[in-house]
Coordinates of all heavy atoms in Angstrom, one line a residue:
M1 N 0.9 -1.2 0.0 CA 0.0 0.0 0.0 C 0.9 1.2 0.0 O 1.9 1.3 0.7 CB -0.9 0.0 1.2 CG -1.9 1.1 1.3 SD -3.2 0.8 2.5 CE -2.4 1.5 3.9
E2 N 0.5 2.2 -0.8 CA 1.3 3.4 -0.8 C 1.1 4.2 0.4 O 0.2 4.1 1.2 CB 0.9 4.2 -2.1 CG -0.5 4.7 -2.1 CD -0.9 5.3 -3.4 OE1 -1.0 4.6 -4.4 OE2 -1.1 6.5 -3.4
D3 N 2.1 5.1 0.7 CA 2.0 5.9 1.9 C 0.8 6.9 1.8 O 0.6 7.6 0.9 CB 3.3 6.8 2.0 CG 3.4 7.6 3.3 OD1 2.6 7.3 4.2 OD2 4.1 8.6 3.3
L4 N 0.0 6.8 2.9 CA -1.2 7.6 2.9 C -1.0 9.1 3.2 O -1.8 9.9 2.9 CB -2.3 7.0 3.8 CG -2.7 5.6 3.5 CD1 -3.7 5.1 4.5 CD2 -3.4 5.6 2.1
G5 N 0.2 9.3 3.9 CA 0.5 10.7 4.2 C -0.6 11.4 4.9 O -1.0 11.0 6.0
E6 N -1.1 12.5 4.4 CA -2.1 13.3 5.0 C -3.5 12.9 4.4 O -4.4 13.8 4.5 CB -1.8 14.8 4.8 CG -0.5 15.2 5.5 CD -0.6 15.1 7.0 OE1 -1.7 15.4 7.6 OE2 0.4 14.7 7.6
A7 N -3.7 11.8 3.9 CA -5.0 11.4 3.3 C -6.1 11.4 4.4 O -6.0 10.9 5.4 CB -4.9 10.0 2.7
R8 N -7.2 12.1 4.0 CA -8.3 12.2 4.9 C -9.3 11.0 4.7 O -9.9 10.5 5.7 CB -9.1 13.5 4.7 CG -10.3 13.6 5.6 CD -11.0 15.0 5.4 NE -12.2 15.0 6.2 CZ -13.0 16.0 6.2 NH1 -12.7 17.1 5.5 NH2 -14.1 16.0 6.9
F9 N -9.4 10.6 3.5 CA -10.4 9.5 3.2 C -9.6 8.3 2.6 O -8.6 8.4 1.9 CB -11.4 10.0 2.1 CG -12.3 11.0 2.7 CD1 -12.1 12.4 2.4 CD2 -13.4 10.7 3.4 CE1 -12.9 13.3 2.9 CE2 -14.3 11.6 3.9 CZ -14.0 13.0 3.7
L10 N -10.1 7.1 3.0 CA -9.6 5.9 2.5 C -10.5 5.2 1.6 O -11.8 5.3 1.7 CB -9.4 4.9 3.7 CG -8.5 5.4 4.8 CD1 -8.5 4.4 6.0 CD2 -7.1 5.6 4.4
T11 N -10.0 4.4 0.6 CA -10.9 3.6 -0.2 C -11.2 2.3 0.6 O -10.6 2.1 1.7 CB -10.1 3.1 -1.5 OG1 -9.0 2.3 -1.1 CG2 -9.6 4.3 -2.3
V12 N -12.2 1.6 0.2 CA -12.5 0.3 0.8 C -11.3 -0.6 0.8 O -11.0 -1.2 1.9 CB -13.7 -0.3 0.1 CG1 -13.9 -1.8 0.6 CG2 -15.0 0.5 0.3
H13 N -10.6 -0.6 -0.3 CA -9.4 -1.5 -0.3 C -8.3 -1.0 0.7 O -7.8 -1.9 1.4 CB -8.8 -1.4 -1.7 CG -7.6 -2.2 -1.9 ND1 -7.6 -3.6 -2.0 CD2 -6.2 -1.8 -1.9 CE1 -6.3 -4.0 -2.1 NE2 -5.5 -3.0 -2.1
E14 N -8.1 0.3 0.9 CA -7.1 0.7 1.9 C -7.6 0.4 3.3 O -6.8 0.0 4.1 CB -6.9 2.2 1.7 CG -6.2 2.6 0.4 CD -6.2 4.1 0.1 OE1 -7.1 4.8 0.6 OE2 -5.4 4.5 -0.7
A15 N -8.9 0.6 3.6 CA -9.4 0.3 4.9 C -9.2 -1.2 5.2 O -8.9 -1.6 6.3 CB -10.9 0.7 5.0
A16 N -9.5 -2.0 4.1 CA -9.4 -3.5 4.3 C -7.9 -3.9 4.6 O -7.7 -4.7 5.4 CB -9.9 -4.2 3.0
E17 N -7.0 -3.2 3.9 CA -5.6 -3.5 4.1 C -5.2 -3.1 5.5 O -4.4 -3.9 6.2 CB -4.7 -2.7 3.1 CG -4.7 -3.4 1.8 CD -3.6 -2.8 0.8 OE1 -3.0 -1.7 1.2 OE2 -3.5 -3.3 -0.3
L18 N -5.7 -2.0 6.0 CA -5.3 -1.6 7.4 C -5.9 -2.5 8.4 O -5.2 -2.8 9.5 CB -5.8 -0.1 7.6 CG -5.0 1.0 6.9 CD1 -5.7 2.3 7.1 CD2 -3.6 1.1 7.4
L19 N -7.1 -3.0 8.2 CA -7.7 -3.9 9.1 C -7.3 -5.4 8.9 O -7.6 -6.3 9.7 CB -9.2 -3.9 9.0 CG -9.9 -2.5 9.4 CD1 -11.4 -2.5 9.0 CD2 -9.7 -2.3 10.9
R20 N -6.6 -5.6 7.8 CA -6.1 -7.0 7.5 C -7.3 -7.9 7.3 O -7.3 -9.1 7.7 CB -5.1 -7.6 8.5 CG -3.9 -6.7 8.7 CD -3.0 -6.8 7.5 NE -1.7 -6.3 7.8 CZ -1.2 -5.1 7.5 NH1 -2.0 -4.2 6.8 NH2 0.0 -4.7 7.7
V21 N -8.3 -7.4 6.5 CA -9.5 -8.2 6.1 C -9.7 -8.0 4.6 O -9.0 -7.2 4.0 CB -10.7 -7.8 6.9 CG1 -10.5 -8.0 8.4 CG2 -11.1 -6.4 6.6
N22 N -10.6 -8.8 4.1 CA -10.9 -8.6 2.6 C -11.9 -7.4 2.4 O -12.6 -7.0 3.4 CB -11.3 -9.9 2.0 CG -12.6 -10.4 2.5 OD1 -13.6 -9.7 2.5 ND2 -12.6 -11.7 2.9
T23 N -12.0 -7.0 1.2 CA -12.9 -5.8 0.9 C -14.3 -6.2 1.2 O -15.1 -5.3 1.5 CB -12.7 -5.3 -0.5 OG1 -12.9 -6.4 -1.4 CG2 -11.3 -4.8 -0.7
G24 N -14.7 -7.4 1.0 CA -16.1 -7.9 1.3 C -16.4 -7.7 2.7 O -17.6 -7.3 3.0
D25 N -15.5 -7.9 3.6 CA -15.8 -7.7 5.1 C -16.0 -6.2 5.3 O -16.9 -5.8 6.1 CB -14.6 -8.1 5.9 CG -14.4 -9.7 5.9 OD1 -15.5 -10.4 5.7 OD2 -13.3 -10.1 6.1
V26 N -15.2 -5.3 4.7 CA -15.4 -3.9 4.9 C -16.8 -3.5 4.3 O -17.5 -2.7 4.9 CB -14.3 -3.1 4.2 CG1 -14.6 -1.6 4.3 CG2 -13.0 -3.4 4.9
H27 N -17.2 -4.0 3.1 CA -18.5 -3.7 2.6 C -19.6 -4.1 3.5 O -20.6 -3.4 3.6 CB -18.6 -4.3 1.2 CG -18.0 -3.5 0.1 ND1 -18.5 -2.3 -0.4 CD2 -16.9 -3.8 -0.6 CE1 -17.7 -1.9 -1.3 NE2 -16.7 -2.7 -1.5
K28 N -19.5 -5.3 4.1 CA -20.5 -5.8 5.1 C -20.6 -4.8 6.3 O -21.7 -4.5 6.7 CB -20.1 -7.2 5.6 CG -20.4 -8.2 4.6 CD -20.0 -9.6 5.1 CE -20.0 -10.6 4.0 NZ -19.5 -11.9 4.4
L29 N -19.5 -4.3 6.8 CA -19.5 -3.4 7.9 C -20.2 -2.1 7.5 O -20.9 -1.5 8.3 CB -18.0 -3.1 8.4 CG -17.3 -4.2 9.0 CD1 -15.8 -3.8 9.2 CD2 -17.9 -4.5 10.4
I30 N -20.0 -1.6 6.3 CA -20.6 -0.4 5.8 C -22.1 -0.7 5.6 O -23.0 0.1 6.0 CB -20.0 0.0 4.4 CG1 -18.6 0.5 4.7 CG2 -20.8 1.1 3.8 CD1 -17.8 0.7 3.4
D31 N -22.5 -1.8 5.0 CA -23.9 -2.2 4.7 C -24.7 -2.3 6.0 O -25.9 -2.0 6.1 CB -24.0 -3.5 3.9 CG -23.5 -3.3 2.5 OD1 -23.4 -2.2 2.0 OD2 -23.2 -4.4 1.9
T32 N -24.1 -2.8 7.1 CA -24.8 -3.0 8.4 C -24.8 -1.7 9.2 O -25.4 -1.6 10.2 CB -24.2 -4.1 9.2 OG1 -22.8 -3.8 9.5 CG2 -24.3 -5.4 8.5
G33 N -24.0 -0.7 8.8 CA -23.9 0.5 9.5 C -22.9 0.5 10.6 O -22.8 1.5 11.4
E34 N -22.2 -0.6 10.8 CA -21.1 -0.6 11.8 C -20.0 0.3 11.5 O -19.3 0.8 12.4 CB -20.6 -2.1 11.9 CG -21.6 -3.0 12.5 CD -21.1 -4.4 12.5 OE1 -20.3 -4.7 13.4 OE2 -21.5 -5.3 11.7
L35 N -19.7 0.5 10.2 CA -18.6 1.4 9.8 C -19.2 2.5 8.9 O -19.8 2.2 7.9 CB -17.6 0.6 9.1 CG -16.4 1.4 8.5 CD1 -15.6 2.1 9.7 CD2 -15.4 0.5 7.7
A36 N -19.1 3.7 9.4 CA -19.7 4.9 8.6 C -18.8 5.1 7.4 O -17.6 5.1 7.5 CB -19.8 6.1 9.5
A37 N -19.5 5.4 6.3 CA -18.8 5.7 5.0 C -19.7 6.6 4.2 O -20.8 6.7 4.5 CB -18.5 4.4 4.3
L38 N -19.1 7.2 3.2 CA -19.9 8.0 2.3 C -19.5 7.6 0.9 O -18.5 7.1 0.6 CB -19.6 9.5 2.5 CG -18.1 10.0 2.4 CD1 -17.9 10.4 1.0 CD2 -17.9 11.1 3.3
R39 N -20.5 7.9 0.0 CA -20.3 7.6 -1.4 C -19.9 8.9 -2.1 O -20.3 10.0 -1.8 CB -21.6 7.1 -2.1 CG -21.9 5.7 -1.9 CD -22.9 5.2 -2.9 NE -23.3 3.9 -2.7 CZ -22.7 2.8 -3.2 NH1 -21.6 3.0 -3.9 NH2 -23.1 1.6 -3.0
V40 N -19.0 8.7 -3.1 CA -18.6 9.8 -3.9 C -19.6 9.8 -5.1 O -19.5 8.9 -5.9 CB -17.1 9.7 -4.4 CG1 -16.8 10.8 -5.3 CG2 -16.2 9.6 -3.2
G41 N -20.5 10.8 -5.1 CA -21.5 10.8 -6.1 C -22.7 9.9 -5.7 O -22.7 9.3 -4.7
T42 N -23.6 9.7 -6.7 CA -24.8 8.9 -6.4 C -24.5 7.4 -6.3 O -25.0 6.7 -5.4 CB -25.8 9.1 -7.5 OG1 -26.0 10.5 -7.8 CG2 -27.2 8.6 -7.1
R43 N -23.7 6.9 -7.2 CA -23.4 5.5 -7.2 C -21.9 5.3 -7.2 O -21.4 4.2 -7.6 CB -24.0 4.9 -8.4 CG -25.5 4.9 -8.3 CD -26.2 4.4 -9.6 NE -25.6 3.1 -9.9 CZ -26.2 2.3 -10.8 NH1 -27.2 2.7 -11.4 NH2 -25.6 1.1 -11.0
G44 N -21.1 6.2 -6.8 CA -19.7 6.2 -6.8 C -19.1 5.3 -5.7 O -19.9 4.6 -4.9
P45 N -17.8 5.2 -5.6 CA -17.2 4.3 -4.6 C -17.3 4.8 -3.2 O -17.5 6.0 -3.0 CB -15.7 4.3 -5.1 CG -15.5 5.6 -5.8 CD -16.8 5.9 -6.4
W46 N -17.3 3.9 -2.3 CA -17.3 4.3 -0.9 C -16.0 4.9 -0.4 O -15.0 4.4 -0.9 CB -17.6 3.0 0.0 CG -19.0 2.5 -0.1 CD1 -19.4 1.4 -0.7 CD2 -20.2 3.1 0.5 NE1 -20.8 1.3 -0.6 CE2 -21.3 2.3 0.2 CE3 -20.4 4.3 1.3 CZ2 -22.6 2.6 0.6 CZ3 -21.7 4.5 1.7 CH2 -22.8 3.7 1.3
R47 N -16.1 5.8 0.5 CA -14.9 6.4 1.1 C -15.1 6.4 2.6 O -16.2 6.7 3.1 CB -14.6 7.8 0.7 CG -14.2 7.9 -0.8 CD -12.9 7.2 -1.1 NE -12.4 7.3 -2.5 CZ -12.5 6.4 -3.3 NH1 -13.0 5.2 -3.0 NH2 -12.1 6.5 -4.6
I48 N -14.0 6.0 3.4 CA -14.1 6.0 4.8 C -13.1 7.0 5.3 O -11.9 7.0 5.0 CB -13.7 4.6 5.3 CG1 -14.7 3.5 4.8 CG2 -13.7 4.5 6.9 CD1 -14.1 2.6 3.8
E49 N -13.6 7.9 6.2 CA -12.7 8.9 6.8 C -11.8 8.2 7.7 O -12.2 7.4 8.5 CB -13.5 10.0 7.5 CG -12.7 11.2 7.8 CD -13.6 12.4 8.2 OE1 -14.8 12.3 8.2 OE2 -13.0 13.5 8.4
L50 N -10.5 8.6 7.7 CA -9.5 7.9 8.5 C -9.9 8.0 10.0 O -9.7 7.0 10.7 CB -8.1 8.5 8.3 CG -6.9 7.9 9.0 CD1 -6.8 6.4 8.7 CD2 -5.6 8.6 8.7
T51 N -10.3 9.1 10.5 CA -10.7 9.3 11.9 C -11.9 8.4 12.2 O -12.0 7.9 13.3 CB -11.0 10.7 12.2 OG1 -12.1 11.2 11.4 CG2 -9.8 11.6 12.1
V52 N -12.8 8.2 11.3 CA -13.9 7.2 11.5 C -13.4 5.8 11.7 O -13.9 5.1 12.5 CB -15.0 7.4 10.4 CG1 -16.0 6.3 10.4 CG2 -15.6 8.7 10.4
L53 N -12.5 5.4 10.8 CA -11.9 4.1 10.9 C -11.2 3.9 12.3 O -11.3 2.9 12.9 CB -11.0 3.8 9.8 CG -10.4 2.4 9.7 CD1 -11.5 1.3 9.6 CD2 -9.3 2.2 8.7
E54 N -10.4 4.9 12.7 CA -9.7 4.9 14.0 C -10.7 4.8 15.1 O -10.5 4.0 16.1 CB -8.8 6.1 14.1 CG -7.6 6.1 13.2 CD -6.9 7.4 13.1 OE1 -7.4 8.4 13.6 OE2 -5.8 7.4 12.6
D55 N -11.8 5.5 15.1 CA -12.9 5.4 16.1 C -13.5 4.0 16.1 O -13.8 3.4 17.2 CB -14.0 6.4 15.9 CG -13.5 7.9 16.2 OD1 -12.5 8.0 16.8 OD2 -14.2 8.8 15.7
F56 N -13.7 3.5 14.9 CA -14.3 2.1 14.8 C -13.4 1.1 15.5 O -13.8 0.2 16.2 CB -14.5 1.7 13.3 CG -14.8 0.3 13.1 CD1 -16.1 -0.2 13.3 CD2 -13.9 -0.6 12.7 CE1 -16.4 -1.5 13.1 CE2 -14.2 -1.9 12.5 CZ -15.5 -2.4 12.7
I57 N -12.1 1.2 15.2 CA -11.1 0.3 15.9 C -11.1 0.5 17.4 O -11.1 -0.5 18.1 CB -9.7 0.6 15.3 CG1 -9.6 0.2 13.8 CG2 -8.6 -0.1 16.1 CD1 -8.4 0.7 13.1
S58 N -11.2 1.7 17.9 CA -11.2 1.9 19.3 C -12.5 1.3 19.9 O -12.4 0.7 21.0 CB -11.2 3.4 19.6 OG -10.0 4.0 19.3
E59 N -13.6 1.4 19.2 CA -14.9 0.8 19.7 C -14.8 -0.7 19.7 O -15.3 -1.4 20.7 CB -16.0 1.2 18.8 CG -16.4 2.7 18.9 CD -17.3 3.1 17.8 OE1 -17.8 2.3 17.0 OE2 -17.6 4.3 17.7
Q60 N -14.1 -1.3 18.8 CA -13.9 -2.8 18.7 C -13.0 -3.2 19.9 O -13.3 -4.3 20.5 CB -13.3 -3.2 17.4 CG -14.2 -3.0 16.2 CD -15.5 -3.6 16.3 OE1 -15.6 -4.8 16.5 NE2 -16.6 -2.8 16.3
Y61 N -12.0 -2.5 20.2 CA -11.2 -2.8 21.4 C -12.0 -2.7 22.7 O -11.9 -3.6 23.6 CB -10.0 -1.8 21.5 CG -8.8 -2.2 20.7 CD1 -8.3 -1.3 19.8 CD2 -8.1 -3.4 20.9 CE1 -7.1 -1.7 19.0 CE2 -7.0 -3.7 20.2 CZ -6.5 -2.9 19.2 OH -5.4 -3.2 18.5
E62 N -12.9 -1.7 22.8 CA -13.7 -1.5 24.0 C -14.7 -2.7 24.1 O -14.9 -3.2 25.2 CB -14.4 -0.2 24.0 CG -15.4 0.0 25.1 CD -14.7 0.0 26.5 OE1 -13.4 0.1 26.6 OE2 -15.4 -0.2 27.5
M63 N -15.3 -3.1 23.0 CA -16.2 -4.2 23.0 C -15.5 -5.5 23.4 O -16.1 -6.3 24.2 CB -16.9 -4.4 21.6 CG -17.9 -3.3 21.4 SD -18.7 -3.4 19.7 CE -19.0 -5.1 19.5
A64 N -14.3 -5.7 22.9 CA -13.5 -6.9 23.3 C -13.2 -6.9 24.8 O -13.3 -7.9 25.5 CB -12.3 -7.0 22.4
R65 N -12.8 -5.7 25.3 CA -12.5 -5.5 26.7 C -13.7 -5.9 27.5 O -13.6 -6.6 28.5 CB -12.0 -4.1 27.0 CG -11.5 -3.9 28.4 CD -11.5 -2.5 28.8 NE -12.8 -1.8 28.9 CZ -13.7 -2.0 29.9 NH1 -13.4 -2.8 30.9 NH2 -14.8 -1.3 29.8
R66 N -14.9 -5.4 27.2 CA -16.1 -5.7 27.9 C -16.5 -7.1 27.9 O -16.9 -7.7 28.9 CB -17.2 -4.8 27.4 CG -17.1 -3.4 27.8 CD -18.2 -2.5 27.2 NE -18.0 -1.1 27.5 CZ -19.0 -0.2 27.5 NH1 -20.2 -0.6 27.2 NH2 -18.7 1.0 27.7
T67 N -16.3 -7.8 26.7 CA -16.6 -9.2 26.6 C -15.7 -10.0 27.5 O -16.2 -10.9 28.2 CB -16.4 -9.6 25.1 OG1 -17.4 -8.9 24.4 CG2 -16.7 -11.1 25.0
V68 N -14.4 -9.7 27.5 CA -13.5 -10.4 28.4 C -13.8 -10.2 29.8 O -13.8 -11.1 30.6 CB -12.0 -10.0 28.0 CG1 -11.0 -10.5 29.1 CG2 -11.6 -10.5 26.7
A69 N -14.1 -9.0 30.2 CA -14.4 -8.7 31.6 C -15.7 -9.4 32.0 O -15.8 -10.0 33.1 CB -14.6 -7.2 31.8
F70 N -16.7 -9.4 31.1 CA -17.9 -10.2 31.5 C -17.7 -11.6 31.6 O -18.1 -12.3 32.5 CB -19.0 -9.9 30.4 CG -20.3 -10.6 30.6 CD1 -21.2 -10.1 31.5 CD2 -20.6 -11.8 30.0 CE1 -22.4 -10.7 31.7 CE2 -21.8 -12.5 30.3 CZ -22.7 -12.0 31.1
N71 N -16.9 -12.2 30.7 CA -16.6 -13.6 30.7 C -15.8 -14.0 31.9 O -15.8 -15.2 32.3 CB -16.0 -14.1 29.4 CG -17.0 -14.1 28.2 OD1 -18.2 -14.1 28.4 ND2 -16.5 -13.9 27.0
A72 N -15.0 -13.1 32.4 CA -14.2 -13.4 33.6 C -14.9 -13.2 34.9 O -14.4 -13.5 35.9 CB -12.9 -12.5 33.5
G73 N -16.1 -12.6 34.8 CA -16.9 -12.3 36.0 C -17.6 -13.4 36.5 O -17.4 -14.6 36.1
V74 N -18.6 -13.1 37.4 CA -19.4 -14.1 38.1 C -20.2 -15.0 37.1 O -20.4 -16.2 37.4 CB -20.3 -13.5 39.2 CG1 -21.4 -12.7 38.5 CG2 -20.8 -14.5 40.1
F75 N -20.6 -14.5 36.0 CA -21.4 -15.3 35.1 C -20.5 -16.2 34.2 O -21.1 -17.0 33.4 CB -22.3 -14.4 34.2 CG -23.3 -13.6 35.0 CD1 -23.1 -12.3 35.2 CD2 -24.3 -14.3 35.6 CE1 -24.1 -11.6 35.9 CE2 -25.2 -13.6 36.4 CZ -25.1 -12.2 36.5
A76 N -19.3 -16.2 34.3 CA -18.4 -17.0 33.5 C -18.5 -18.5 33.8 O -18.2 -19.3 33.0 CB -16.9 -16.5 33.6
H77 N -18.9 -18.8 35.0 CA -19.0 -20.2 35.5 C -20.4 -20.5 35.7 O -21.1 -19.9 36.6 CB -18.1 -20.3 36.7 CG -16.7 -19.9 36.6 ND1 -15.8 -20.5 35.8 CD2 -16.1 -18.8 37.0 CE1 -14.7 -19.9 35.8 NE2 -14.8 -18.8 36.5
S78 N -20.9 -21.5 35.0 CA -22.4 -21.8 35.0 C -22.8 -22.2 36.4 O -24.0 -22.0 36.8 CB -22.7 -22.9 34.0 OG -21.9 -24.0 34.3
E79 N -22.0 -22.7 37.2 CA -22.4 -23.1 38.6 C -22.7 -21.9 39.5 O -23.5 -22.1 40.4 CB -21.3 -24.0 39.3 CG -20.0 -23.3 39.6 CD -19.0 -23.4 38.4 OE1 -19.3 -23.9 37.3 OE2 -17.9 -22.9 38.6
N80 N -22.2 -20.8 39.1 CA -22.5 -19.6 39.9 C -23.9 -19.0 39.6 O -24.4 -18.2 40.4 CB -21.5 -18.5 39.6 CG -20.1 -18.8 40.2 OD1 -20.0 -19.6 41.1 ND2 -19.1 -18.3 39.6
I81 N -24.5 -19.4 38.5 CA -25.8 -18.8 38.1 C -26.9 -19.2 39.2 O -27.8 -18.5 39.5 CB -26.2 -19.3 36.7 CG1 -25.3 -18.6 35.7 CG2 -27.7 -18.9 36.4 CD1 -25.5 -19.1 34.3
A82 N -26.7 -20.4 39.7 CA -27.7 -20.9 40.7 C -27.7 -20.0 42.0 O -28.6 -20.0 42.8 CB -27.4 -22.3 41.1
D83 N -26.6 -19.3 42.2 CA -26.5 -18.4 43.4 C -27.4 -17.2 43.3 O -27.6 -16.5 44.3 CB -25.1 -18.0 43.6 CG -24.1 -19.1 43.9 OD1 -24.6 -20.2 44.3 OD2 -22.9 -19.0 43.6
F84 N -28.0 -16.9 42.1 CA -28.8 -15.7 42.0 C -30.2 -16.0 42.0 O -30.8 -16.9 41.6 CB -28.4 -15.0 40.7 CG -27.0 -14.4 40.8 CD1 -25.9 -15.1 40.3 CD2 -26.8 -13.2 41.4 CE1 -24.7 -14.6 40.4 CE2 -25.6 -12.6 41.5 CZ -24.5 -13.3 41.0

């Protein structure tokens, strides 16, 4: 991938490369609304603002942190459920 330098917007391909996923995965994230993107023109290509992608990544880290914390908590062991 070429140096993005001061690029404000990324192509779907560039976002996929940064996330190390395929472009289809990025399109699914856009289609479900998980990743905000805009179209250039009425039917043009999608563009993802770099700061939006960075926010998305931060949100994914937070969701992973919460999942790990929940799974490590009192509900992680099924025998503890009877205590409630």
Side-chain angles (χ1 to χ4, degrees):
M1 186 166 85
E2 60 187 69
D3 182 21
L4 298 176
E6 297 295 319
R8 178 176 176 183
F9 293 97
L10 304 172
T11 65
V12 168
H13 180 77
E14 291 167 338
E17 282 189 355
L18 288 172
L19 293 172
R20 301 292 194 256
V21 299
N22 64 51
T23 57
D25 292 333
V26 174
H27 279 289
K28 286 178 189 173
L29 291 170
I30 293 169
D31 291 343
T32 61
E34 293 178 73
L35 179 60
L38 58 90
R39 278 200 185 273
V40 178
T42 314
R43 297 175 50 169
W46 287 106
R47 294 293 183 257
I48 300 108
E49 194 166 4
L50 183 57
T51 57
V52 169
L53 185 63
E54 290 168 345
D55 290 344
F56 171 79
I57 292 167
S58 295
E59 290 168 7
Q60 296 303 303
Y61 275 122
E62 179 59 18
M63 285 176 47
R65 185 197 65 76
R66 289 180 184 198
T67 299
V68 168
F70 180 81
N71 291 335
V74 69
F75 296 111
H77 307 288
S78 59
E79 66 271 6
N80 292 336
I81 293 175
D83 295 339
F84 292 95

